[in-house]
Every structure is written in C-alpha cells, then in structure tokens.
Amino acid sequence: MTISKIIKSALATGLLVCALATAASAKDGVLRIGTEGDAPKFSMADPSGDVTGFDADIAKDICAELKVKCEFVVQTFSSLVPSMDSDRFDVIISGLSITDERAKKIDYSIPYATTPQYFVVAKDSPLAKLKTLAEVEKALGGKSVGVVTGTTYAKFVQKNIPSADLKTYDATTQQLADLSSGRIDAAYGDSPTWMDFLSTPDGANFTKIDVKVMAMDDPDTLGKGMGVGMRKGNTELKAKVDAAVCKMVNDGKVKEASMTWFQDDYTIPCKK
C-alpha cells in the first residue's frame, strides 16, 4: 500500500470513528447536553452538578421525546461552541441564539424560543427615563456597558453603540456584581436575568430602561431565536431533534417551561 493510500485509509478510519462517537450517545441511550450552568432562570448548576432552569426543562423534554437519558456538561457560555468539536457533548442547550456566524461552526435545530432584552441602570440615572432605542443608543455613547462574553448581546452593543465603553464578563454573576457596585453605567442582557436580579436586595436600586429589544430589531446580530446547537453534518441527530422540538412546541411543552421560569410565553411557532 502506498503512503498516500495509507494516509487516506487512516483519515477514512478516523472519520468513521468520529461519526460513530457522535452517534454513540444516542445508541447508548444517553444525550450529553452542553450548558452554561451560571445563567439564572436559563441554566443553573448546583454544587452537586444538578442542572435546573428553562434550558434544563427543554433538554429533559427533548430527551423524553428521543427516549434517551440526559447527561449535562457544564462550562462557561463562551466555551460551548468552541468545544463542540471536542466530543465533550452532543448538543448545546443554553439559550443559544441562531446566528449566521455560529452557523458556520455548528448546525442548529429549528428555533423554539426567543426572549426580549433590556438595558438596566440605576433608578436615579438620567438613562432610566429614555423611551426609544434610538435614544438609548445615543445616550450610552461613552458610557460603560457590561455584557457577557460571547453572547449576541455583546455583539449588539459593539455594532449599534460602537462608542460605548464595553465591559465583558465570563459569567452573568460577574456582570451583576459590577453593576451592583456601580463599576459600570449600564448592563445589557435578557429579560429573565433582569427579572431575577431586580427582585433581589442588590437589584433594589436598579431598573430596566423601558425599551424592549427583540431579535427582529437586529436579526443579523441577535439571530432568529434560540436553537439546539449540534456538531456539523450530523443529519440523523438534527432530524430527530427537529422533530422532537416541533412536537414540544405544538404540544405546549415549550410554553409550559417558558411560563414556569419567565411568566411569559417565549415560544416560536414550529414552521416545519
């Protein structure tokens, strides 16, 4: 056998092993879920490793539809997509917005939910009185704005408020700590995060600017809603997850999880 044939054979064998490893979880009755574990209401991991929240409910419903066991792998949000090729987990369920940039690296299920976003500031800040997105974008120029690294929210601020002093954090808890201590002028994130924060003693002196930002305000940046992230080319798993998600939407399970954690329906209708 020539060297080139040996290399080709090895590559083919390697690809086969990767393909089998990708499918192994489903065959073994386990679906490994990559999730952040540090995003209140979405994904919360306790010291024992138990994961709860909207993402966990969606994951467990998908596992029930696929008749497999869920196994959660918790790590920082910014590391989830880069880790997709490492075979640490089979899918990402972590409030993951569908964007063209991420779609170059991973595949997505059909979208199942979306959530509004808000800027949060101190109650006595002049920023609290703003009423339109255009006013917010203008007023935050030169101000420090906190966002979580790797999120579409960070990209939204970078694109639409380029003159803002962007402060990035690996975790939501770090972002909230700086907001509470006054080290940043404003923080930008999703409605569930703020609903939780504003109900705490640390959040008592803060308020949402009364301007709701939705995906449709900047779909190129904020995406098309949330989807389940998967390794590129795993068409069999994608088809199964798509069918499960669509059934969950139509059966009202996504709405049920949404109402439980957010007291609002974030469901995106299934178009399949």
Side-chain angles (χ1 to χ4, degrees):
M1 183 181 290
T2 65
I3 294 297
S4 62
K5 287 183 178 179
I6 292 173
I7 292 172
K8 289 179 180 178
S9 177
L11 287 172
T13 302
L15 290 174
L16 177 60
V17 170
C18 288
L20 290 174
T22 299
S25 288
K27 291 181 179 179
D28 293 343
V30 176
L31 188 69
R32 297 168 300 169
I33 316 291
T35 195
E36 178 180 358
D38 191 23
K41 301 295 183 182
F42 275 96
S43 178
M44 300 167 287
D46 66 20
S48 67
D50 289 333
V51 181
T52 58
F54 178 69
D55 293 327
D57 285 358
I58 294 297
K60 291 171 184 175
D61 283 339
I62 289 175
C63 288
E65 292 291 341
L66 299 182
K67 296 181 172 56
V68 296
K69 177 184 176 181
C70 276
E71 181 179 293
F72 291 98
V73 178
V74 178
Q75 57 188 63
T76 60
F77 184 89
S78 59
S79 71
L80 288 171
V81 172
S83 295
M84 192 76 261
D85 289 330
S86 69
D87 198 37
R88 284 178 56 78
F89 39 78
D90 305 299
V91 298
I92 300 171
I93 303 178
S94 196
L96 193 66
S97 298
I98 300 171
T99 67
D100 292 339
E101 181 179 346
R102 285 184 183 144
K104 296 175 183 177
K105 302 174 183 176
I106 61 173
D107 285 339
Y108 283 99
S109 71
I110 59 173
Y112 58 86
T114 188
T115 184
Q117 302 110 48
Y118 295 91
F119 290 92
V120 167
V121 298
K123 285 182 176 178
D124 59 0
S125 169
L127 299 169
K129 299 178 181 180
L130 301 176
K131 297 298 181 184
T132 69
L133 184 55
E135 290 177 347
V136 171
E137 292 175 348
K138 181 178 179 180
L140 287 177
K143 303 291 186 182
S144 54
V145 180
V147 292
V148 175
T149 302
T151 62
T152 53
Y153 311 142
K155 292 178 175 61
F156 178 84
V157 175
Q158 287 176 316
K159 176 183 175 181
N160 294 283
I161 318 175
S163 60
D165 178 15
L166 193 67
K167 305 294 184 182
T168 58
Y169 305 90
D170 287 333
T172 302
T173 49
Q174 297 170 352
Q175 176 197 33
L176 298 181
D178 268 13
L179 179 66
S180 300
S181 65
R183 286 191 286 268
I184 53 177
D185 298 308
Y188 182 53
D190 55 63
S191 180
T193 297
W194 301 135
M195 179 179 69
D196 185 67
F197 172 69
L198 295 175
S199 66
T200 67
D202 284 344
N205 295 321
F206 296 86
T207 186
K208 295 185 296 185
I209 297 178
D210 192 22
V211 177
K212 181 184 292 188
V213 182
M214 299 292 282
M216 62 282 295
D217 290 318
D218 187 354
D220 290 339
T221 303
L222 298 177
K224 304 173 180 66
M226 301 173 208
V228 178
M230 288 166 278
R231 202 167 286 109
K232 278 281 188 184
N234 196 338
T235 55
E236 181 182 354
L237 180 60
K238 175 173 167 52
K240 290 180 179 179
V241 172
D242 281 349
V245 169
C246 191
K247 188 174 185 298
M248 288 161 52
V249 168
N250 292 336
D251 289 350
K253 290 183 179 178
V254 175
K255 178 179 180 180
E256 180 181 348
S258 175
M259 294 300 294
T260 296
W261 293 100
F262 311 134
Q263 291 77 61
D264 198 0
D265 185 7
Y266 287 13
T267 307
I268 293 178
C270 175
K271 295 182 179 180
K272 287 180 66 68

